[in-house]
Short mmCIF file of all heavy atoms in Angstrom, two decimals:
data_model
loop_
_atom_site.label_atom_id
_atom_site.label_comp_id
_atom_site.label_asym_id
_atom_site.label_seq_id
_atom_site.Cartn_x
_atom_site.Cartn_y
_atom_site.Cartn_z
N ALA A 1 80.76 75.94 99.58
CA ALA A 1 81.25 76.27 98.23
C ALA A 1 82.12 75.16 97.66
O ALA A 1 82.00 74.80 96.49
CB ALA A 1 82.02 77.59 98.27
N VAL A 2 82.99 74.60 98.49
CA VAL A 2 83.87 73.52 98.04
C VAL A 2 83.03 72.29 97.70
O VAL A 2 83.24 71.65 96.65
CB VAL A 2 84.94 73.20 99.12
CG1 VAL A 2 85.70 71.93 98.77
CG2 VAL A 2 85.90 74.37 99.27
N GLN A 3 82.06 71.97 98.53
CA GLN A 3 81.21 70.80 98.28
C GLN A 3 80.35 70.98 97.04
O GLN A 3 80.11 70.02 96.30
CB GLN A 3 80.33 70.51 99.51
CG GLN A 3 81.13 69.97 100.67
CD GLN A 3 80.33 69.87 101.96
OE1 GLN A 3 79.32 70.54 102.16
NE2 GLN A 3 80.80 69.01 102.85
N GLU A 4 79.90 72.20 96.80
CA GLU A 4 79.11 72.47 95.59
C GLU A 4 79.93 72.27 94.32
O GLU A 4 79.38 72.07 93.25
CB GLU A 4 78.52 73.88 95.63
CG GLU A 4 77.36 74.02 96.60
CD GLU A 4 76.89 75.45 96.79
OE1 GLU A 4 77.48 76.38 96.19
OE2 GLU A 4 75.94 75.63 97.57
N ASN A 5 81.24 72.32 94.47
CA ASN A 5 82.14 72.06 93.34
C ASN A 5 82.55 70.59 93.29
O ASN A 5 83.53 70.24 92.63
CB ASN A 5 83.37 72.97 93.41
CG ASN A 5 83.05 74.36 92.91
OD1 ASN A 5 82.85 74.55 91.72
ND2 ASN A 5 82.96 75.32 93.81
N GLY A 6 81.81 69.76 94.00
CA GLY A 6 82.03 68.32 93.94
C GLY A 6 83.23 67.82 94.70
O GLY A 6 83.69 66.70 94.48
N LYS A 7 83.75 68.59 95.61
CA LYS A 7 84.93 68.19 96.38
C LYS A 7 84.59 68.08 97.86
O LYS A 7 83.61 68.65 98.34
CB LYS A 7 86.06 69.22 96.21
CG LYS A 7 86.41 69.52 94.77
CD LYS A 7 87.03 68.35 94.08
CE LYS A 7 87.43 68.77 92.66
NZ LYS A 7 87.94 67.69 91.89
N GLN A 8 85.42 67.36 98.58
CA GLN A 8 85.25 67.25 100.03
C GLN A 8 86.44 67.94 100.69
O GLN A 8 87.58 67.51 100.55
CB GLN A 8 85.19 65.78 100.46
CG GLN A 8 84.89 65.58 101.92
CD GLN A 8 83.57 66.21 102.37
OE1 GLN A 8 82.57 66.17 101.67
NE2 GLN A 8 83.57 66.82 103.53
N PRO A 9 86.18 69.05 101.41
CA PRO A 9 87.29 69.77 102.04
C PRO A 9 87.87 68.99 103.22
O PRO A 9 87.18 68.19 103.84
CB PRO A 9 86.63 71.07 102.52
CG PRO A 9 85.20 70.71 102.71
CD PRO A 9 84.89 69.65 101.68
N THR A 10 89.13 69.25 103.50
CA THR A 10 89.76 68.63 104.67
C THR A 10 89.26 69.33 105.92
O THR A 10 88.81 70.47 105.88
CB THR A 10 91.30 68.76 104.60
OG1 THR A 10 91.62 70.15 104.52
CG2 THR A 10 91.86 68.03 103.40
N ASP A 11 89.33 68.64 107.03
CA ASP A 11 88.81 69.17 108.29
C ASP A 11 89.67 70.27 108.88
O ASP A 11 89.21 71.00 109.75
CB ASP A 11 88.70 68.04 109.32
CG ASP A 11 87.63 67.03 108.96
OD1 ASP A 11 86.71 67.39 108.21
OD2 ASP A 11 87.73 65.88 109.42
N TYR A 12 90.89 70.40 108.45
CA TYR A 12 91.79 71.35 109.10
C TYR A 12 92.08 72.62 108.30
O TYR A 12 92.38 73.65 108.87
CB TYR A 12 93.12 70.67 109.47
CG TYR A 12 93.75 69.90 108.33
CD1 TYR A 12 94.60 70.52 107.43
CD2 TYR A 12 93.47 68.55 108.16
CE1 TYR A 12 95.16 69.83 106.38
CE2 TYR A 12 94.03 67.85 107.10
CZ TYR A 12 94.87 68.48 106.22
OH TYR A 12 95.42 67.80 105.18
N LEU A 13 91.97 72.56 106.98
CA LEU A 13 92.29 73.75 106.21
C LEU A 13 91.16 74.79 106.19
O LEU A 13 91.43 75.98 106.18
CB LEU A 13 92.69 73.40 104.78
CG LEU A 13 94.13 72.92 104.60
CD1 LEU A 13 94.42 72.55 103.16
CD2 LEU A 13 95.13 73.96 105.08
N VAL A 14 89.92 74.34 106.21
CA VAL A 14 88.81 75.30 106.21
C VAL A 14 88.85 76.17 107.47
O VAL A 14 88.77 77.40 107.38
CB VAL A 14 87.44 74.61 106.03
CG1 VAL A 14 86.30 75.58 106.27
CG2 VAL A 14 87.33 74.02 104.63
N PRO A 15 88.99 75.58 108.67
CA PRO A 15 89.11 76.45 109.86
C PRO A 15 90.34 77.35 109.81
O PRO A 15 90.30 78.49 110.25
CB PRO A 15 89.20 75.47 111.03
CG PRO A 15 88.62 74.20 110.53
CD PRO A 15 88.91 74.17 109.05
N PHE A 16 91.42 76.86 109.22
CA PHE A 16 92.64 77.66 109.07
C PHE A 16 92.36 78.87 108.20
O PHE A 16 92.72 80.01 108.54
CB PHE A 16 93.75 76.79 108.47
CG PHE A 16 95.03 77.53 108.21
CD1 PHE A 16 95.91 77.81 109.26
CD2 PHE A 16 95.37 77.94 106.93
CE1 PHE A 16 97.10 78.49 109.02
CE2 PHE A 16 96.55 78.61 106.69
CZ PHE A 16 97.42 78.89 107.74
N ILE A 17 91.69 78.65 107.06
CA ILE A 17 91.38 79.74 106.15
C ILE A 17 90.44 80.74 106.81
O ILE A 17 90.70 81.95 106.80
CB ILE A 17 90.77 79.20 104.84
CG1 ILE A 17 91.81 78.39 104.05
CG2 ILE A 17 90.21 80.33 103.98
CD1 ILE A 17 91.22 77.58 102.89
N SER A 18 89.34 80.26 107.37
CA SER A 18 88.35 81.18 107.94
C SER A 18 88.93 81.93 109.14
O SER A 18 88.70 83.14 109.28
CB SER A 18 87.05 80.46 108.31
OG SER A 18 87.25 79.52 109.32
N SER A 19 89.69 81.25 109.98
CA SER A 19 90.29 81.93 111.14
C SER A 19 91.29 82.99 110.69
O SER A 19 91.30 84.10 111.22
CB SER A 19 91.00 80.92 112.05
OG SER A 19 90.07 80.08 112.67
N GLY A 20 92.10 82.64 109.71
CA GLY A 20 93.09 83.60 109.21
C GLY A 20 92.43 84.84 108.62
O GLY A 20 92.83 85.97 108.91
N ILE A 21 91.41 84.63 107.80
CA ILE A 21 90.72 85.76 107.18
C ILE A 21 90.07 86.65 108.24
O ILE A 21 90.23 87.87 108.22
CB ILE A 21 89.66 85.26 106.17
CG1 ILE A 21 90.34 84.65 104.93
CG2 ILE A 21 88.72 86.39 105.76
CD1 ILE A 21 89.38 83.93 103.99
N ILE A 22 89.34 86.04 109.15
CA ILE A 22 88.62 86.83 110.16
C ILE A 22 89.59 87.53 111.10
O ILE A 22 89.41 88.71 111.43
CB ILE A 22 87.60 85.96 110.93
CG1 ILE A 22 86.53 85.39 109.98
CG2 ILE A 22 86.97 86.72 112.08
CD1 ILE A 22 85.73 86.43 109.21
N ASP A 23 90.63 86.82 111.55
CA ASP A 23 91.61 87.47 112.43
C ASP A 23 92.28 88.65 111.73
O ASP A 23 92.49 89.71 112.34
CB ASP A 23 92.65 86.47 112.93
CG ASP A 23 92.09 85.52 113.98
OD1 ASP A 23 91.02 85.81 114.56
OD2 ASP A 23 92.73 84.47 114.23
N CYS A 24 92.64 88.48 110.47
CA CYS A 24 93.24 89.59 109.72
C CYS A 24 92.27 90.75 109.56
O CYS A 24 92.63 91.91 109.72
CB CYS A 24 93.70 89.11 108.33
SG CYS A 24 95.16 88.10 108.36
N TYR A 25 91.02 90.42 109.26
CA TYR A 25 90.01 91.47 109.08
C TYR A 25 89.85 92.29 110.37
O TYR A 25 89.85 93.52 110.34
CB TYR A 25 88.66 90.86 108.67
CG TYR A 25 87.55 91.88 108.63
CD1 TYR A 25 87.48 92.82 107.61
CD2 TYR A 25 86.60 91.93 109.64
CE1 TYR A 25 86.47 93.78 107.59
CE2 TYR A 25 85.59 92.88 109.63
CZ TYR A 25 85.53 93.80 108.60
OH TYR A 25 84.54 94.76 108.59
N PHE A 26 89.74 91.61 111.51
CA PHE A 26 89.56 92.34 112.76
C PHE A 26 90.83 93.06 113.20
O PHE A 26 90.76 94.11 113.84
CB PHE A 26 88.96 91.46 113.86
CG PHE A 26 87.49 91.24 113.64
CD1 PHE A 26 87.00 90.02 113.25
CD2 PHE A 26 86.60 92.29 113.77
CE1 PHE A 26 85.65 89.83 113.01
CE2 PHE A 26 85.25 92.12 113.54
CZ PHE A 26 84.77 90.88 113.16
N SER A 27 91.99 92.55 112.84
CA SER A 27 93.23 93.30 113.07
C SER A 27 93.21 94.58 112.25
O SER A 27 93.60 95.65 112.71
CB SER A 27 94.45 92.46 112.71
OG SER A 27 94.61 91.41 113.60
N TRP A 28 92.74 94.46 111.00
CA TRP A 28 92.60 95.64 110.13
C TRP A 28 91.62 96.64 110.74
O TRP A 28 91.88 97.83 110.77
CB TRP A 28 92.12 95.18 108.74
CG TRP A 28 91.84 96.27 107.77
CD1 TRP A 28 92.76 96.94 107.01
CD2 TRP A 28 90.57 96.82 107.43
NE1 TRP A 28 92.12 97.88 106.21
CE2 TRP A 28 90.78 97.82 106.46
CE3 TRP A 28 89.26 96.56 107.85
CZ2 TRP A 28 89.74 98.55 105.89
CZ3 TRP A 28 88.22 97.29 107.29
CH2 TRP A 28 88.48 98.28 106.33
N CYS A 29 90.49 96.13 111.27
CA CYS A 29 89.50 97.02 111.90
C CYS A 29 90.08 97.78 113.09
O CYS A 29 89.75 98.94 113.31
CB CYS A 29 88.28 96.22 112.38
SG CYS A 29 87.23 95.59 111.06
N ARG A 30 90.94 97.11 113.86
CA ARG A 30 91.53 97.73 115.06
C ARG A 30 92.68 98.67 114.73
O ARG A 30 93.09 99.47 115.55
CB ARG A 30 92.03 96.64 116.00
CG ARG A 30 90.95 95.86 116.68
CD ARG A 30 91.54 94.80 117.62
NE ARG A 30 90.54 93.83 117.97
CZ ARG A 30 90.45 92.60 117.47
NH1 ARG A 30 91.37 92.17 116.60
NH2 ARG A 30 89.49 91.79 117.83
N SER A 31 93.23 98.55 113.54
CA SER A 31 94.42 99.31 113.16
C SER A 31 94.12 100.79 112.96
O SER A 31 93.07 101.17 112.46
CB SER A 31 94.99 98.73 111.87
OG SER A 31 96.08 99.50 111.43
N ASP A 32 95.07 101.62 113.37
CA ASP A 32 94.95 103.05 113.13
C ASP A 32 95.32 103.41 111.69
O ASP A 32 94.81 104.38 111.14
CB ASP A 32 95.86 103.83 114.09
CG ASP A 32 95.39 103.74 115.53
OD1 ASP A 32 94.17 103.56 115.75
OD2 ASP A 32 96.23 103.83 116.43
N VAL A 33 96.21 102.63 111.10
CA VAL A 33 96.64 102.86 109.73
C VAL A 33 96.08 101.72 108.89
O VAL A 33 96.48 100.57 109.05
CB VAL A 33 98.18 102.91 109.62
CG1 VAL A 33 98.61 103.12 108.19
CG2 VAL A 33 98.75 103.98 110.54
N LYS A 34 95.15 102.05 108.00
CA LYS A 34 94.48 101.01 107.23
C LYS A 34 94.81 101.14 105.74
O LYS A 34 94.79 102.22 105.19
CB LYS A 34 92.96 101.13 107.39
CG LYS A 34 92.45 100.76 108.74
CD LYS A 34 90.92 100.80 108.74
CE LYS A 34 90.37 100.23 110.01
NZ LYS A 34 90.04 101.18 111.01
N ILE A 35 95.06 99.97 105.14
CA ILE A 35 95.09 99.93 103.69
C ILE A 35 93.63 99.94 103.23
O ILE A 35 92.73 99.63 104.02
CB ILE A 35 95.85 98.68 103.17
CG1 ILE A 35 95.16 97.39 103.61
CG2 ILE A 35 97.30 98.72 103.61
CD1 ILE A 35 95.76 96.12 103.01
N PRO A 36 93.36 100.28 101.98
CA PRO A 36 91.97 100.25 101.52
C PRO A 36 91.38 98.84 101.62
O PRO A 36 92.10 97.84 101.44
CB PRO A 36 92.07 100.69 100.05
CG PRO A 36 93.37 101.43 99.96
CD PRO A 36 94.28 100.79 100.97
N LEU A 37 90.07 98.76 101.89
CA LEU A 37 89.40 97.47 102.03
C LEU A 37 89.60 96.61 100.79
O LEU A 37 89.86 95.41 100.91
CB LEU A 37 87.90 97.67 102.31
CG LEU A 37 87.08 96.40 102.51
CD1 LEU A 37 87.59 95.61 103.72
CD2 LEU A 37 85.61 96.74 102.67
N GLY A 38 89.53 97.20 99.61
CA GLY A 38 89.72 96.43 98.38
C GLY A 38 91.08 95.77 98.31
O GLY A 38 91.21 94.63 97.86
N GLN A 39 92.10 96.47 98.77
CA GLN A 39 93.46 95.90 98.78
C GLN A 39 93.54 94.76 99.80
O GLN A 39 94.14 93.71 99.52
CB GLN A 39 94.48 96.99 99.11
CG GLN A 39 95.91 96.55 99.03
CD GLN A 39 96.88 97.69 99.33
OE1 GLN A 39 96.52 98.85 99.35
NE2 GLN A 39 98.14 97.34 99.56
N LEU A 40 92.95 94.94 100.95
CA LEU A 40 92.93 93.89 101.97
C LEU A 40 92.23 92.64 101.43
O LEU A 40 92.75 91.53 101.56
CB LEU A 40 92.22 94.39 103.24
CG LEU A 40 92.09 93.38 104.37
CD1 LEU A 40 93.45 93.13 105.03
CD2 LEU A 40 91.09 93.87 105.40
N ILE A 41 91.08 92.83 100.80
CA ILE A 41 90.33 91.71 100.25
C ILE A 41 91.11 91.05 99.12
O ILE A 41 91.09 89.82 98.98
CB ILE A 41 88.94 92.18 99.75
CG1 ILE A 41 88.13 92.79 100.90
CG2 ILE A 41 88.17 91.02 99.11
CD1 ILE A 41 87.94 91.93 102.11
N GLY A 42 91.84 91.83 98.34
CA GLY A 42 92.69 91.26 97.30
C GLY A 42 93.72 90.31 97.89
O GLY A 42 93.97 89.23 97.35
N GLN A 43 94.31 90.71 99.01
CA GLN A 43 95.27 89.85 99.68
C GLN A 43 94.59 88.58 100.20
O GLN A 43 95.12 87.48 100.05
CB GLN A 43 95.95 90.61 100.82
CG GLN A 43 96.85 91.72 100.34
CD GLN A 43 97.37 92.61 101.46
OE1 GLN A 43 97.01 92.46 102.62
NE2 GLN A 43 98.21 93.57 101.09
N PHE A 44 93.40 88.74 100.81
CA PHE A 44 92.64 87.57 101.28
C PHE A 44 92.37 86.62 100.11
O PHE A 44 92.55 85.41 100.23
CB PHE A 44 91.27 87.97 101.85
CG PHE A 44 91.28 88.67 103.17
CD1 PHE A 44 90.11 89.27 103.62
CD2 PHE A 44 92.40 88.73 103.98
CE1 PHE A 44 90.07 89.92 104.84
CE2 PHE A 44 92.37 89.38 105.19
CZ PHE A 44 91.20 89.97 105.63
#
């Protein structure tokens, strides 16, 4: 997506973003008390 917008992403921020999003998502999945998915995605 970044490259399609004519930019070259840095090597360290893309893994940071994807790891953070996925780790948060799976923490949400494991949680007994969940905020709505839409609210979680809004935060992401």
Side-chain angles (χ1 to χ4, degrees):
V2 170
Q3 289 171 337
E4 286 172 359
N5 281 289
K7 307 292 183 184
Q8 185 58 40
T10 58
D11 292 337
Y12 50 87
L13 280 178
V14 170
F16 177 79
I17 293 168
S18 64
S19 292
I21 290 171
I22 298 301
D23 286 343
C24 287
Y25 173 74
F26 284 109
S27 291
W28 176 81
C29 289
R30 289 181 196 104
S31 176
D32 292 333
V33 179
K34 290 185 171 96
I35 62 173
L37 181 61
Q39 185 178 346
L40 178 72
I41 300 304
Q43 292 172 356
F44 288 168

